[in-house]
Amino acid sequence: MSEQDDNQEDGFAEEKLIQAIENQIESENPPAARAVFNKLTLVGYERDEALGMMAYVLAHEINAMLAADRAFDSAGYEHALRALPVSYTHLRAHETG
């Protein structure tokens, strides 16, 4: 697979994660989704940046679920969302180091 194919797949996955976050915000399921989005935009994050951080948290939980062959941890996911933006920084630091 070429680097261009990888980039297209990454873009597709990111787009789907963002759509999932937008759906969560709209449906308020989990309830934290709308609250966290509002908090992030209130403290100065742009819409796309807030959605991106939230999508990153969702991706992290999905990866952990698949790696451990376990069910989706709704409580853990909601906890990580509520901890944004700190949880985003923490997750990114563990990814690179």
Side-chain angles (χ1 to χ4, degrees), residues 6 10-11 14 18-19 21 25 27 29-30 33-34 38 40 46 50 57 72 78 82-83 90-91 94-97:
D6 287 344
D10 288 347
E14 181 179 5
I18 299 275
Q19 285 176 354
I21 295 298
I25 292 167
S27 68
N29 186 19
R34 182 180 298 265
N38 289 342
L40 291 171
E46 295 292 325
V57 170
F72 188 86
E78 195 163 341
R82 289 188 184 278
H90 179 75
L91 292 172
H94 279 65
E95 180 182 271
T96 59

Side-chain angles (χ1 to χ4, degrees), residues 30-45:
R34 182 180 298 265
V36 169
F37 179 75
N38 289 342
K39 174 184 85 170
L40 291 171
T41 56
L42 185 65
V43 298
Y45 289 97

Side-chain angles (χ1 to χ4, degrees), residues 13-93:
E14 181 179 5
E15 179 183 320
K16 295 303 175 190
L17 287 165
I18 299 275
Q19 285 176 354
I21 295 298
E22 289 173 329
N23 290 339
Q24 290 177 0
I25 292 167
E26 180 68 27
S27 68
E28 296 186 32
N29 186 19
R34 182 180 298 265
V36 169
F37 179 75
N38 289 342
K39 174 184 85 170
L40 291 171
T41 56
L42 185 65
V43 298
Y45 289 97
E46 295 292 325
R47 179 183 188 280
D48 290 344
E49 191 175 11
L51 291 173
M53 284 190 284
M54 294 173 73
Y56 190 84
V57 170
L58 177 58
H60 180 77
E61 173 53 29
I62 291 169
N63 285 336
M65 176 187 78
L66 295 173
D69 193 26
R70 62 164 171 81
F72 188 86
D73 180 2
S74 297
Y77 170 63
E78 195 163 341
H79 178 75
L81 278 179
R82 289 188 184 278
L84 283 171
V86 173
S87 62
Y88 175 77
T89 304
H90 179 75
L91 292 172
R92 294 289 297 195

